[in-house]
Amino acid sequence: NAGVTQTPKFRVLKTGQSMTLLCAQDMNHEYMYWYRQDPGMGLRLIHYSVGEGTTAKGEVPDGYNVSRLKKQNFLLGLESAAPSQTSVYFCASSRGQVSGNTIYFGEGSWLTVV
Amino acid sequence: SQKIEQNSEALNIQEGKTATLTCNYTNYSPAYLQWYRQDPGRGPVFLLLIRENEKEKRKERLKVTFDTTLKQSLFHITASQPADSATYLCALDTGEGKLIFGQGTTLQVKP
């Protein structure tokens, strides 16, 4: 059982380039999330999805776009990367609302924008 | 604005002692609070969930308390072991289908 899988694990981008982070979960979870983690800042929610075809903004959505075309996949896109987007990105999923439900995290994607 | 605070300073304790980590929050009344463990280079892993009407929750050597009056949760690890060394995150349910996380406290258990 793979759980939550993120690709790629590491990536270096030049300022202005675009890229997509892919998240896949095999637990048939309805909810999926993208977080970023920066030193001293904790995990901050970028975007989330409560089901296939839905997306919603989190705490820090600017500069990112997401899509949930299939229930098992949640894509995070950076259209024009900036150095401020250098971070560790975590995808996560849960069976339902976080109220009372465990969130399962992927192993992270390390992104550096130079 | 909603705020969660965990002690940013690392906690160093001797093996066998009890580790106590603190999570304080303001401007919010969460129905649930969760604790996660994160090892270097890995994603967070769920440990415990406690509801607002529960004062205490236990799982093996772990104990969590939730004081809604003080707006505080305490996370205890008894008989600590070097393998318990990690960063521990608390997270609150915003009631909007989202969790917000504290910045985490790093625990170092020395043999």
Side-chain angles (χ1 to χ4, degrees), chain B residues 38-75:
Chain B
Q38 187 174 24
D39 292 289
R42 307 296 296 274
V45 175
F46 171 79
L47 294 175
L48 282 168
L49 178 151
I50 187 166
R51 295 173 172 78
E52 62 177 340
N53 60 352
E54 296 177 318
K55 296 293 185 185
E56 182 179 296
K57 198 88 170 270
R58 291 176 184 262
K59 179 182 177 183
E60 298 174 349
R61 294 184 295 112
L62 309 180
K63 185 179 83 171
V64 171
T65 63
F66 192 9
D67 189 325
T68 55
T69 301
L70 292 178
K71 293 187 180 292
Q72 181 182 78
S73 175
L74 298 178
F75 178 80

Side-chain angles (χ1 to χ4, degrees), chain A residues 20-108:
Chain A
T20 300
L21 295 176
L22 172 63
C23 177
Q25 53 95 4
D26 61 3
M27 296 174 281
N28 200 35
H29 284 171
E30 289 294 332
Y31 284 55
M32 296 187 74
Y33 315 83
W34 275 107
Y35 286 88
R36 62 177 288 174
Q37 188 173 38
D38 303 289
M41 299 292 291
L43 285 157
R44 292 182 291 168
L45 183 64
I46 304 171
H47 286 281
Y48 65 105
S49 168
V50 301
E52 181 178 316
T54 75
T55 62
K57 294 180 179 180
E59 302 169 71
V60 288
D62 294 341
Y64 305 94
N65 56 75
V66 288
S67 64
R68 184 101 181 265
L69 299 179
K70 293 183 178 180
K71 185 177 183 178
Q72 63 269 32
N73 295 336
F74 196 29
L75 278 62
L76 177 70
L78 285 72
E79 290 187 348
S80 179
S84 61
Q85 294 177 305
T86 293
S87 187
V88 184
Y89 292 85
F90 288 99
C91 178
S93 70
S94 63
R95 186 178 59 175
Q97 276 202 12
V98 295
S99 303
N101 281 295
T102 302
I103 288 187
Y104 295 85
F105 284 86
E107 290 300 306

Side-chain angles (χ1 to χ4, degrees), chain A residues 97-100, chain B residues 1-5 23-35 49-55 64-74 90-102:
Chain A
Q97 276 202 12
V98 295
S99 303
Chain B
S1 62
Q2 300 162 0
K3 194 173 180 181
I4 304 174
E5 287 188 350
C23 176
N24 295 298
Y25 58 94
T26 58
N27 299 330
Y28 189 62
S29 298
Y32 299 85
L33 187 146
Q34 301 186 17
W35 283 88
L49 178 151
I50 187 166
R51 295 173 172 78
E52 62 177 340
N53 60 352
E54 296 177 318
K55 296 293 185 185
V64 171
T65 63
F66 192 9
D67 189 325
T68 55
T69 301
L70 292 178
K71 293 187 180 292
Q72 181 182 78
S73 175
L74 298 178
C90 71
L92 300 181
D93 163 28
T94 66
E96 301 169 343
K98 297 177 284 188
L99 276 183
I100 53 174
F101 285 81

